[in-house]
């Protein structure tokens, strides 16, 4: 490609509404242009990167035995109604009616459509296993689209769905996809972690997220530097920080704490460690009778240590909270505790509540908790002596840096990540809901065991840039770069010798199958260099008349601070070695 024939549209400054580094650099480098909130046009140079991601994804999916198809972006409500997700998906799914008043949606995902294909086409166990995938546009009507392509409304995804005859076979399909994902992200040149994850709204059991490591990532990744343990913050197990409950050494005392409604304020007032306090969180569940009619409210008191935070995903898995919960209203809190929030605790409640203590809290003694009386807290509180044992002890909290690793092999560390891939084992969640069956070897119908595997194709661009950038612009890994190498002739329009050497190198690169671009725009060196550093091309060769007089050219890798002089006679071989990573 010659730059004079290509479309290069760089900006010196990013638009004022650009928030994160990747968004700013993609706009400045001419990869994207905003059409509406969360919706972008991909200019030619941005589309080149997308196609490179797609090529690697497609090659590895095909290598793993998956079969590519294409499912419609517009999907009818009837399929979604079969699984109940037409109502459950919420406002993120953009619904509309056609001219005949029939309900449709823009697909955010395709479990229903692919399950419908399977129940129509896969009749016998002899046709299994099968794994269908697509690389397709998706739409999610995010309430607040932000961060450019990383949280947009329209995006490109690779989603795959496996169909198997047994749990064991489904496990093998899952493992094959997990391995394919590792190969994909290895080839993309990204630093990533595969972490155990919660299955979320899609449902299922086994689940891993593939997270690109970046300081600006939205997700917290928990890992053990001394082992293979890794999980996202929602799933990471928090072990008790106290091995056993110590013998009480203080008596219970109702202590004035005027105006101190937070654990931190109470600890500061009483001059004690924050870890001696209890944080009270009040939840409520709306009960129904066997006919689905309202049957009152159950109030729950969840207790975590004052320096810890409640993990709502873990709470949602507790018996009694699995069907859903909400934070209690102020009226419900006053009815059960006789006090406003900030002074709540498990001693002396007006009406019974379900008390759930975090593992660490259950082993605490002489702790401080709210007295259910404004401006007062109890000090020296102890389980069994001053209040009943909790109704339930569970892992309720987020882990923190330095916690013991659940595998017993060291201490936990936390880093930020950007989710770019997710693999799920779904089981029969969708096949049962849609009565998708095949005839097994015994001649009896059986529901498919399913898996679901997604990669955010366009999101990878943003994640890669968040991980690879500097003050000058983007630093693409070779596999993702729109061009691997740029040849920059200084004085293109003035020197025949410069043109000849630049063309010789450029045509040699093309002949070797290298994705190269020749900057024949006849721009000043500073403009050329600034453009290609902003765009992020990994390798650059500069050929100028002054250097040619000395028989030299210059090579500089995008991550290198200085250029290297190379003899013209050695240039082709030197560049070839650099492109091989030598």
């Amino acid at each position: 490609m010659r730059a004079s024939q290509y479309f290069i549209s760089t900006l010196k400054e990013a638009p004022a509404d650009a928030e994160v580094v990747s968004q700013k650099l993609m706009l400045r480098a001419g990869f994207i242009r905003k059409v509406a909130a969360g919706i972008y046009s991909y200019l030619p140079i941005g589309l080149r990167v997308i196609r490179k991601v797609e090529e690697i994804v497609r090659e590895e999916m095909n290598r793993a035995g998956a079969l590519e198809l294409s499912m419609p972006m517009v999907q009818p409500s009837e399929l979604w109604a079969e699984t109940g997700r037409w109502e459950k998906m919420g406002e993120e799914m953009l619904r509309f009616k056609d001219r005949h008043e029939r309900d449709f949606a823009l697909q955010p995902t395709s479990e229903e459509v692919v399950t419908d294909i399977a129940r129509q086409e896969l009749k016998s166990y002899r046709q299994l296993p099968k794994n269908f995938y697509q690389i397709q546009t998706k739409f999610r009507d995010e309430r607040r689209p932000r961060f450019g392509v990383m949280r947009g409304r329209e995006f490109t995804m690779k989603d795959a769905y496996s169909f198997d005859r047994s749990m064991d076979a489904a496990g093998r399909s899952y493992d094959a996809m997990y391995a394919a994902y590792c190969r994909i992200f290895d080839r993309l040149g990204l630093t990533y972690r595969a972490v155990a994850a919660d299955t979320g709204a899609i449902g299922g059991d086994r689940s891993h997220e593939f997270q690109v490591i970046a300081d600006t990532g939205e997700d917290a990744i928990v890992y053990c530097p001394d082992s293979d343990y890794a999980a996202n913050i929602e799933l990471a197990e928090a072990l008790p920080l106290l091995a056993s409950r110590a013998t009480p050494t203080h008596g219970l005392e109702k202590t004035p704490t005027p105006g101190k409604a937070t654990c931190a304020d109470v600890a500061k007032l009483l001059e004690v460690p924050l870890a001696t306090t209890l944080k009270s969180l009040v939840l409520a569940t709306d009960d129904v009778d066997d006919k689905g009619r309202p049957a009152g409210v159950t109030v729950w008191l969840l207790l975590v240590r004052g320096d810890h935070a409640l993990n709502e995903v873990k709470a949602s898995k507790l018996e009694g909270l699995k069907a859903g919960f909400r934070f209690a209203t102020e009226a419900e809190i006053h009815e059960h505790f006789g006090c406003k929030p900030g002074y709540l605790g498990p001693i002396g409640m007006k009406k019974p509540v379900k008390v759930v203590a975090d593992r660490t809290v259950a082993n605490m003694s002489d702790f401080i908790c709210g007295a259910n009386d404004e401006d007062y807290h109890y000090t020296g509180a102890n389980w069994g002596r001053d209040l009943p044992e909790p109704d339930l002890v569970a892992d309720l909290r987020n882990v923190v840096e330095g916690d013991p690793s659940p595998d017993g092999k060291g201490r936990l560390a936390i880093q930020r990540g950007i989710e770019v891939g997710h693999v799920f084992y779904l089981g029969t969640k969708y096949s049962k809901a849609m009565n998708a069956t095949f005839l097994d070897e015994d001649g009896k119908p059986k529901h498919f065991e399913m898996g679901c595997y997604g990669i955010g194709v366009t999101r990878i661009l943003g994640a890669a840039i968040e991980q690879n950038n500097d003050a000058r612009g983007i630093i693409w890994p070779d596999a993702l770069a729109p061009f691997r190498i740029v040849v920059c002739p200084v004085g293109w329009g003035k020197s025949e010798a410069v043109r000849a050497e630049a063309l010789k190198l450029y045509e040699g690169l093309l002949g070797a199958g290298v994705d190269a671009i020749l900057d024949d725009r006849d721009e000043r060196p500073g403009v050329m260099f600034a453009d290609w550093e902003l765009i992020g091309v990994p390798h650059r060769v500069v050929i100028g008349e002054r250097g040619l007089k000395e028989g030299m050219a210059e090579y500089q890798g995008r991550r290198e601070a200085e250029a290297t002089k190379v003899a013209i006679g050695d240039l082709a071989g030197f560049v070839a070695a650099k492109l091989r990573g030598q």
Side-chain angles (χ1 to χ4, degrees):
M1 183 64 63
R2 292 197 182 196
S4 62
Q5 299 168 347
Y6 201 59
F7 183 74
I8 297 169
S9 181
T10 57
L11 304 173
K12 288 187 177 180
E13 300 290 337
D17 61 349
E19 299 172 279
V20 293
V21 170
S22 58
Q23 184 181 14
K24 293 175 182 178
L25 291 178
M26 290 183 78
L27 287 163
R28 286 190 56 213
F31 286 77
I32 58 174
R33 289 292 181 260
K34 182 177 176 179
V35 177
I39 301 174
Y40 294 89
S41 292
Y42 287 86
L43 301 185
I45 201 163
L47 187 60
R48 284 182 74 90
V49 181
I50 291 175
R51 293 292 180 251
K52 291 193 173 188
V53 175
E54 290 177 348
E55 181 180 5
I56 289 172
V57 169
R58 185 172 279 113
E59 287 176 0
E60 292 301 336
M61 291 300 295
N62 293 345
R63 177 181 169 188
L67 303 168
E68 188 171 9
L69 48 64
S70 180
M71 291 176 279
M73 187 177 180
V74 174
Q75 299 182 354
S77 64
E78 291 84 357
L79 292 177
W80 288 79
E82 288 188 54
T83 61
R85 294 209 297 171
W86 184 254
E87 295 78 19
K88 292 178 182 177
M89 282 298 287
E91 295 180 354
E92 285 74 26
M93 186 161 73
L94 185 62
R95 300 164 173 85
F96 62 94
K97 293 181 182 293
D98 69 4
R99 67 176 65 193
H100 304 292
E101 292 298 305
R102 293 177 298 206
D103 288 314
F104 288 86
L106 296 184
Q107 64 151 327
T109 182
S110 285
E111 282 80 9
E112 282 79 3
V113 170
V114 78
T115 303
D116 183 53
I117 291 172
R119 70 181 173 183
Q120 293 185 60
E121 304 296 334
L122 303 178
K123 303 296 187 182
S124 167
Y125 73 95
R126 297 181 186 277
Q127 295 172 275
L128 302 178
K130 285 291 183 290
N131 188 336
F132 298 118
Y133 80 95
Q134 64 174 348
I135 299 175
Q136 173 65 290
T137 299
K138 300 283 196 299
F139 192 92
R140 291 179 187 164
D141 197 9
E142 295 276 358
R143 181 183 299 275
R144 183 172 171 249
R146 54 194 175 132
F147 304 155
V149 301
M150 291 206 295
R151 192 174 283 276
R153 292 196 289 167
E154 182 179 292
F155 53 95
T156 300
M157 264 191 76
K158 187 284 301 176
D159 47 329
Y161 306 90
S162 60
F163 296 86
D164 286 278
R165 59 183 296 197
S166 68
M167 289 179 62
D168 287 345
R172 290 191 291 274
S173 292
Y174 184 100
D175 291 340
M177 285 293 97
Y178 183 98
Y181 274 41
C182 290
R183 293 194 299 270
I184 288 168
F185 293 112
D186 286 344
R187 287 183 60 185
L188 291 174
L190 300 175
T191 301
Y192 69 95
R193 286 186 182 273
V195 301
D198 184 68
T199 55
I202 291 183
D205 299 300
R206 196 175 172 195
S207 173
H208 285 85
E209 292 173 351
F210 286 77
Q211 296 269 1
V212 168
I213 306 305
D215 291 338
T216 52
E218 290 185 278
D219 300 325
I221 304 166
V222 179
Y223 70 100
C224 178
D226 302 315
S227 73
D228 293 332
Y229 179 81
N232 67 17
I233 196 75
E234 289 85 5
L235 196 68
E237 183 182 4
L239 297 179
L241 300 183
L242 300 170
S244 60
R245 192 182 295 169
T247 303
T249 59
H250 295 80
L252 183 68
E253 185 176 345
K254 190 173 181 179
T255 304
T257 54
K260 308 303 180 185
T262 69
C263 291
D265 287 344
V266 170
K268 185 177 181 180
L269 173 70
L270 301 180
E271 297 182 336
V272 296
L274 184 57
T276 62
T277 66
L278 291 195
K279 186 183 296 182
S280 297
L281 301 113
V282 186
L283 308 181
T285 51
D286 298 302
D287 305 324
V288 295
D289 61 21
D290 54 6
K291 294 184 179 179
R293 296 174 298 196
V297 171
T298 299
V299 171
W300 300 69
L301 177 62
L302 274 57
L303 301 170
V304 297
R305 207 168 72 177
D307 57 339
H308 290 157
L310 175 69
N311 184 314
E312 291 187 38
V313 171
K314 292 179 180 178
S316 71
K317 295 181 179 180
L318 298 178
E319 201 62 46
L321 297 178
K322 291 180 180 178
F325 64 83
R326 57 180 172 80
F327 284 91
T329 65
E330 192 164 335
E332 290 166 339
I333 290 172
H334 196 273
E335 178 186 354
H336 286 78
F337 295 88
C339 182
K340 71 177 187 179
Y343 303 93
L344 308 180
I347 301 175
M349 295 165 287
K350 287 180 65 177
K351 293 181 70 173
V353 302
K354 292 276 189 181
V355 178
V356 186
D358 179 67
R359 291 168 169 177
T360 295
V361 168
N363 284 345
M364 289 174 66
S365 58
D366 293 332
F367 52 82
I368 300 167
C369 63
N372 296 316
D373 188 1
E374 187 173 349
D375 292 335
Y376 286 91
H377 281 75
Y378 280 118
T379 59
N382 285 272
W383 296 106
R385 188 192 72 181
D386 306 313
L387 72 162
E389 296 290 340
D391 296 305
L392 179 65
V393 176
D395 176 11
L396 290 179
R397 68 178 178 90
N398 286 332
V399 299
V400 295
E401 190 103 12
D403 276 356
S405 178
D407 61 7
K409 295 182 179 179
R411 296 281 169 177
L412 294 176
I414 299 177
Q415 58 189 178
R416 309 302 298 181
I418 301 166
E419 183 187 346
V420 291
H422 208 154
V423 292
F424 298 89
Y425 164 60
L426 296 174
T428 57
K429 175 181 174 72
Y430 293 93
S431 59
K432 280 186 176 179
M434 298 183 70
N435 196 28
T437 63
F438 64 96
L439 290 180
D440 207 355
E441 199 168 5
D442 59 5
K444 295 180 180 179
K446 188 175 179 182
H447 292 102
F448 296 104
E449 294 282 346
M450 292 175 57
C452 169
Y453 319 95
I455 287 179
V457 173
T458 43
R459 194 174 220 221
I460 284 173
L461 275 66
I465 294 170
E466 292 292 332
Q467 188 180 86
N468 299 277
N469 69 82
D470 63 13
R472 294 175 290 168
I474 302 167
I475 308 174
W476 288 112
D478 276 37
L480 288 177
F483 301 98
R484 288 191 69 195
I485 185 168
V486 57
V487 179
C488 293
V490 177
W492 170 266
K494 298 177 181 178
S495 171
E496 186 176 338
V498 167
R499 287 196 301 275
E501 285 297 337
L503 283 168
K504 179 180 177 182
L505 176 61
Y506 168 67
E507 290 169 356
L509 289 166
L510 294 185
V514 177
D515 196 1
I517 187 166
L518 172 67
D519 193 343
D520 60 346
R521 296 176 297 167
D522 208 21
E523 288 280 8
R524 299 189 311 275
V527 173
M528 275 197 295
F529 300 164
D531 276 350
W532 298 114
E533 287 171 346
L534 174 60
I535 289 167
V537 174
H539 308 273
R540 183 182 77 200
V541 174
V542 178
I543 298 173
E545 195 166 30
R546 183 183 302 175
L548 288 180
K549 289 178 180 177
E550 301 173 358
M552 307 294 285
E554 288 185 349
Y555 165 86
Q556 187 169 354
R558 180 62 182 81
R559 294 184 184 275
E560 297 174 2
E562 301 288 339
T564 301
K565 289 190 175 184
V566 184
I568 288 294
D570 300 331
L571 186 58
F574 181 90
V575 169
K578 287 292 184 180
L579 293 173
R580 291 194 300 268
Q582 298 175 346

